[in-house]
Structures are given as structure tokens and as C-alpha cells.
Amino acid sequence: MRITWLFGNGLDLSYGLKTSYFHFYKYLLELEKQNLITEENIIFLQLKHDFEKHKEDLWSDYETRLGELTTLISEQQIEKFENDKIQIDLFLNDYLKNEEKNLKIDENQTQKILTNSFNQIIKCSRLVDNNQINELIRVNSQSHFKFTAISFNYTKTVSILWGNNPNLLNNFKLNGYPTSYSSILEIPFYLHGTLEDGQMIIGVNDFSQIKNEELKTSTELSDALFKSSLLNQAGQLHLEQFTSLINETEIICTYGLSIGRTDAYYWKIIKERLLKSKSILIIYYYDKTYVNAHISLTNRITNQVKSKFYSNSEATDDEIERIKDRIMIEVNHELFLQE
């Protein structure tokens, strides 16, 4: 049985790293003071205008904005636009490398952190969800429990938690189900590259997010902005590996991810897995305004998150009906924290 965790920037933020879109924007302003970046960079200029009006705080907002900014360029300016994006990408790499130095995880506690967090799988807020998860675990209890990590981040946070070498979680059990099989902690997989490999992937999902109608069919622009194109150029078969892992997973958990449109390709793969199997998706969702004061408030957020997944995975009404009861939303459920 495989349980796969998909991690987004929320994990880094929970460990005190200043890795939000807004944090990075403030860093760019400091670089501007040093004349290391100027308003000649089309993207930077527009980011300044954006933040003067309102503060965006999700990386999916930035990626979406890249597609929108194509309305400001012509076909002759695509190369400059790409160069401007490369400049910002490289500054982001530098910024995250420096911020990563502030990461403090007691490696002697990591097994305890993981064990406590993994056990939360069967401690959802709704009993009906727990019953489904327990039944799925029960029918798969006579096999190895494989815990896989897929990081959408570039930092080493997940690697420190998981460990860089294959490892066994000794005596680890879910919900007390006895099994003679080992619980296996697999080496983390960095879907969008790392700070060290020169293959950080930042971009949009597809042509629908390119707002310049005249450039929607531009191969030059798609090569520079489409995540799938960038991943293919990297040549590490990350799309294939992601698809293979999801198709072998019984329980899919997302933590610290916004389920944004710029990652729609991945949500479609997960939707297909749900349709073709009895797999379960648990979305651990954070909302800083949420207070667990009324069932209607919780239900509203749950429906909003589910609707976002349905929309961004392009689920039909029939598909939604088939998978809706196997998608669980846990709001502000803290995980992977050290004492």
C-alpha cells in the first residue's frame, strides 16, 4: 500500500522560512535599491504595480500573473520576456538558498514527527471519513506500507524530514493494524527541481493561461512558460514519475498546496486515479481566517476547496458524483511540526 504526500510552500512556512511570494517580492525591492534589478524588467515592473494595489501571497498567483503579462509583449519581445523571467528565477534561487540556511529541524526528532503526522491520516475531523480510510487500510494491511513524498518546493525541508537514504520506520503501524510487513520510507521526489540542479520549474499550466491571444500558439513562448515543456526540456522524466507514483497510490495527501490552476496537469492525474480506483484524496488546507466556530463555516470552506479541485482538474458532473465522497478536506490540521 502506498501513501503519497504532496508538499507545497505551506510546509516551509510552517518551519518559519520566509518563502512566500510576498517575502520574495520584498527581496526584489532590496535588489532594486542596489541596481541589481530595474523596471526595465517587464515582469518586475508589473509586480510592483500589482503590490501597490494589493498584496498577493500565493506562488500560484505569481505563475498566473506570468500568463497574464503576455498581453504586454509582441512576438518580437518573447526572448526579452523569457530573459526577464530567467533573471527573476535566478534571484529566487539565490533568495531561497539563503533562506534555507534558517531551516532548523532536529534530525533526531524526524521519525517521531513523521510517525505522529502519519497517524493523523485516520484522525480526520469527520467520523465518516475515518471509517472510509480505515477500511481502505484494512483491505491493504497485508502488504508493505510505502510512504512517498513529492515536493513541489525547491528547498531541502522534505529531504531532512524523510532522510536522504531509504529507511524503515520501525514498528510503525496505522490505527494499530498488525502486519508482519515493513513500513517503508521512500526517497523524496522533487517534481519541480531543487536549488542545486539548475532545473527549477516555474510557469503556467497550458495555453489557456496565456492571455495574449496572438501568442497562444507560440512554441517559443510555450517552451519558456509551460511547466510540461520545461519539465520535458529538463529530461528527467518527472512527469512520467509523478504519474507512475500517483497511479500506484491508495491514499493521496496534499499539505501546504493551494490546488491552483497552474498545477492543473497534476490535479487531472489525481482525478483519473480516483476515477479508476478506490483511492482516497485528503487535502490538508490552511485558511488563516478560519475559526472552527460553526459547522456551516467549515462546510463552506470544504465545498470551496472541493470546487477548486473539480474546476482545476476539469471534472465533469458525472466524475464529481463518482469521486466526491473520497475527497476529504481537513482545515488547519497541523502536521509535520517538531516539539
Side-chain angles (χ1 to χ4, degrees), residues 208-223:
S208 68
Q209 294 180 303
I210 302 297
K211 297 308 178 182
N212 187 327
E213 293 295 328
E214 296 180 358
L215 298 181
K216 281 185 180 290
T217 59
S218 168
T219 302
E220 184 180 4
L221 188 62
S222 64
D223 284 347

Side-chain angles (χ1 to χ4, degrees), residues 5-11 58 60 150-153 192 242 253-260 263 266-267 270 283-286 305 308:
W5 290 84
L6 279 59
F7 291 104
N9 189 48
L11 180 68
L58 296 174
S60 58
I150 300 177
S151 179
F152 284 56
N153 302 331
H192 290 156
F242 178 87
C253 305
T254 76
Y255 187 79
L257 281 166
S258 62
I259 320 296
D263 288 321
Y266 311 124
W267 313 139
I270 291 172
I283 300 176
Y284 292 95
Y285 185 80
Y286 177 72
V305 176
K308 195 173 185 180

Side-chain angles (χ1 to χ4, degrees), residues 53-69:
K53 298 175 183 177
H54 51 82
K55 295 181 175 63
E56 304 287 3
D57 209 25
L58 296 174
W59 282 108
S60 58
D61 294 325
Y62 170 64
E63 292 177 322
T64 298
R65 197 71 178 110
L66 288 175
E68 295 171 346
L69 293 180

Side-chain angles (χ1 to χ4, degrees), residues 189 197 199 230-241:
F189 164 46
D197 62 14
Q199 296 179 356
L230 292 166
L231 285 167
N232 285 331
Q233 291 167 43
Q236 302 303 320
L237 301 178
H238 282 190
L239 289 176
E240 292 81 357
Q241 187 175 352

Side-chain angles (χ1 to χ4, degrees), residues 296-308:
S296 294
L297 295 176
T298 304
N299 191 53
R300 181 185 303 165
I301 294 177
T302 296
N303 289 336
Q304 288 172 348
V305 176
K306 283 192 174 186
S307 293
K308 195 173 185 180

Side-chain angles (χ1 to χ4, degrees), residues 93 154 190-202 230-231 233-236 238:
N93 187 285
Y154 316 107
Y190 283 79
L191 178 60
H192 290 156
T194 70
L195 300 177
E196 309 299 333
D197 62 14
Q199 296 179 356
M200 287 174 53
I201 305 297
I202 302 171
L230 292 166
L231 285 167
Q233 291 167 43
Q236 302 303 320
H238 282 190

